[in-house]
Structures are given as structure tokens and as C-alpha cells.
């Protein structure tokens, strides 16, 4: 069940939900869909961006009409190694989308919160803003529909979300039962056994196959920066310029792993 009371409590005074690129109309014969990617985005990469059009292409065959896509960077309370301050990660996401997309937006609600917010509550926030505050989406025949909010993530999400010790069972049921997830397959990630354990929600789990394989990750970008190596053509030029301007990631104590095993690390998508 959605916890709108929590959402309202965690929304700071003066916050404005970004909806400038959210399409307000939809095809009456299709389900309006909003894609939400939660993650560190430290820094954002081309794969983070690429998974949105891949999900949109996939959704067309499933009866959906994508009306918008959102990046929701995690807050500083996540306290992961390699995590640049939230203000920088939000700005890098904005720079990555401002001149490259007509339908992607960056929502700072999660990033600006002083406390860690579980993914289930982040999706509640989007549901609240789009379907309750805005009243959903108007169809071309004059009727209104609620938008379906879905989590967009990498294949490692399915592997960890099927492990009881990693995610709260109530959150798993809420995310997969009430929202759903679009999962991007990744080389070396085995999905079949994880999907088998989540069979009760299979109608809400959509696997996106990569036609052109892309395996870039934020972890690899940070490693290259620490080694003073080029990151050209791995992330947007505006983001590269921002990283050098603010001297980000140059003196990192890089972790041995990639943060898997935590709920938010799992929800990150291709890289956190």
C-alpha cells in the first residue's frame, strides 16, 4: 500500500516536482507509462541514459505509451564509497539530459532528503505527484487515466531482490506487485533462477534484451579517473567537463566491490 503520508512528510517546503517534459496526453488504447531509475549516478554514464530508450522501445510491444522518464539520484545518507555529494550528482544528471533528450527529467526529491529513502517510497512519491497531485493523464478521447509508474533497473536488481536478506519482503511485494520493473539484461548476469523465484510477479517484470551490448559502469569511470586516464566517449562531454571543473573522483579510496548486497545498490540499474 502506498504511504503518501510518508511522502508528504519527506517533501521539503518549496519543493517543485519536475514535470516540464512529462507528456500530459496519451493514446486511449495504451497504458501511460513513467520510467523511474533510482541510483547513485556517480557519475551518470551513457548506459544510464541508453536504458531509457531501450525500455521505451520494449514497452511499445507491451501495450504501453511512455510519457516520461526520471532519474532519481540517491541521497548522501546512502554513504557509499565513491559517492559524490548529492548536489553534484543531481547537476551531472541534469547536464546529461538537458541537451540530449526531450522526455528525460531529474528529480532531486530523493537526493535532497537528509535521510535514506527506500526505493518503494521513492516510487510512492512519483505515484503521488503524477496520479494524485496532477490527477493522472488525459487521453485523446477526453478520459483520464492514472500513469503506471515502473522501476527501471539493471539485471543485478532481479538477482538481489530475490534474496530475502537483502530487501524487505513488504517492499518487494509493493514494488513488484503495485508498480513493476523493467530490467535491462547485462552480460554475465544470470536471470533465469532469479526470475523463477519471483514468478508470482512475473506479469510486472519486463526483461529488456540488449541488442547492442554496453557494459560501461560508474565504478569503471571512477577507476579511470583515479588513474588519470581518459573517460572520453564513456559519459557525456558536459558531465566530463563538470567532473574536471569540480575535481571530482580524483582522490577516491575505491572499494574492492561494487556495493551489491544492499537494497539501494541493487536498485541502481546498470551502475551506481
Amino acid at each position: 500500500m502506498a504511504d503518501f503520508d510518508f511522502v508528504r512528510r519527506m517533501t521539503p517546503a518549496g519543493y517543485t516536482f519536475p514535470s516540464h517534459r512529462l507528456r500530459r496526453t496519451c493514446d486511449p488504447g495504451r497504458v501511460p507509462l513513467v520510467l523511474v531509475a533510482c541510483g547513485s549516478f556517480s557519475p551518470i554514464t551513457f548506459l544510464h541514459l541508453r536504458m531509457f530508450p531501450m525500455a521505451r522501445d520494449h514497452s511499445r510491444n507491451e501495450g504501453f505509451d511512455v510519457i516520461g522518464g526520471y532519474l532519481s539520484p540517491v541521497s548522501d545518507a546512502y554513504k557509499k564509497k565513491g559517492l559524490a555529494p548529492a548536489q553534484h550528482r543531481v547537476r551531472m544528471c541534469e547536464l546529461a539530459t538537458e541537451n540530449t533528450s526531450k522526455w528525460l527529467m531529474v528529480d532531486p526529491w530523493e537526493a535532497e532528503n537528509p535521510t535514506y529513502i527506500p526505493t518503494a517510497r521513492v516510487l510512492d512519491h512519483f505515484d503521488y505527484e503524477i496520479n494524485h497531485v496532477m490527477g493522472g493523464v488525459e487521453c485523446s478521447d477526453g478520459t483520464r487515466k492514472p500513469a503506471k509508474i515502473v522501476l527501471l533497473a539493471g539485471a543485478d536488481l532481479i538477482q538481489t531482490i530475490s534474496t530475502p536478506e537483502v530487501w524487505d519482503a513488504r517492499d518487494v511485494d509493493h514494488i513488484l506487485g503495485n508498480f513493476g520493473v523493467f530490467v535491462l539484461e547485462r552480460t554475465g548476469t544470470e536471470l533465469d533462477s532469479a526470475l523463477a523465484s519471483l514468478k508470482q510477479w512475473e506479469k510486472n517484470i519486463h526483461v529488456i534484451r540488449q541488442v547492442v551490448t554496453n557494459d560501461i559502469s560508474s565504478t569503471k569511470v571512477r577507476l579511470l579517473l583515479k588513474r588519470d586516464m581518459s573517460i572520453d566517449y564513456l559519459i557525456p562531454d558536459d558531465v566530463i567537463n563538470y567532473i574536471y571543473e569540480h575535481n571530482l573522483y580524483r582522490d577516491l579510496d575505491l572499494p574492492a566491490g561494487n556495493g551489491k548486497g544492499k537494497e539501494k545498490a541493487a536498485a541502481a540499474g546498470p551502475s551506481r
Side-chain angles (χ1 to χ4, degrees), residues 75-224:
S75 77
D76 291 337
Y78 181 53
K79 298 187 182 301
K80 179 187 176 184
K81 286 185 178 180
L83 195 68
Q87 66 184 50
H88 290 311
R89 290 182 287 109
V90 168
R91 185 56 187 150
M92 285 188 286
C93 286
E94 290 173 344
L95 288 170
T97 57
E98 278 177 359
N99 299 318
T100 62
S101 173
K102 295 181 179 179
W103 60 285
L104 296 184
M105 292 158 281
V106 182
D107 184 7
W109 182 81
E110 180 185 4
E112 292 178 354
N113 261 284
T115 59
Y116 167 76
I117 299 180
T119 301
R121 302 287 80 81
V122 176
L123 296 177
D124 283 344
H125 156 71
F126 282 95
D127 186 16
Y128 175 73
E129 293 289 348
I130 295 172
N131 291 324
H132 293 264
V133 175
M134 294 172 51
V137 183
E138 183 176 352
C139 299
S140 56
D141 62 359
T143 61
R144 297 193 72 85
K145 285 184 178 181
K148 182 173 178 61
I149 314 297
V150 298
L151 180 65
L152 177 59
D156 54 340
L157 170 80
I158 290 299
Q159 288 188 318
T160 58
I161 206 171
S162 62
T163 307
E165 310 87 59
V166 178
W167 291 67
D168 184 293
R170 292 166 298 182
D171 282 358
V172 171
D173 183 65
H174 187 49
I175 293 170
L176 298 183
N178 297 321
F179 294 108
V181 60
F182 275 60
V183 182
L184 181 66
E185 70 168 357
R186 295 199 71 183
T187 303
T189 303
E190 198 281 318
L191 282 176
D192 291 343
S193 59
L195 290 172
S197 66
L198 301 171
K199 203 164 185 61
Q200 70 186 95
W201 300 289
E202 63 180 344
K203 65 180 178 63
N204 274 341
I205 300 175
H206 305 265
V207 178
I208 307 165
R209 306 296 178 184
Q210 285 204 64
V211 178
V212 179
T213 303
N214 182 337
D215 203 35
I216 184 59
S217 70
S218 297
T219 302
K220 293 174 182 176
V221 171
R222 294 195 301 267
L223 180 61
L224 290 173

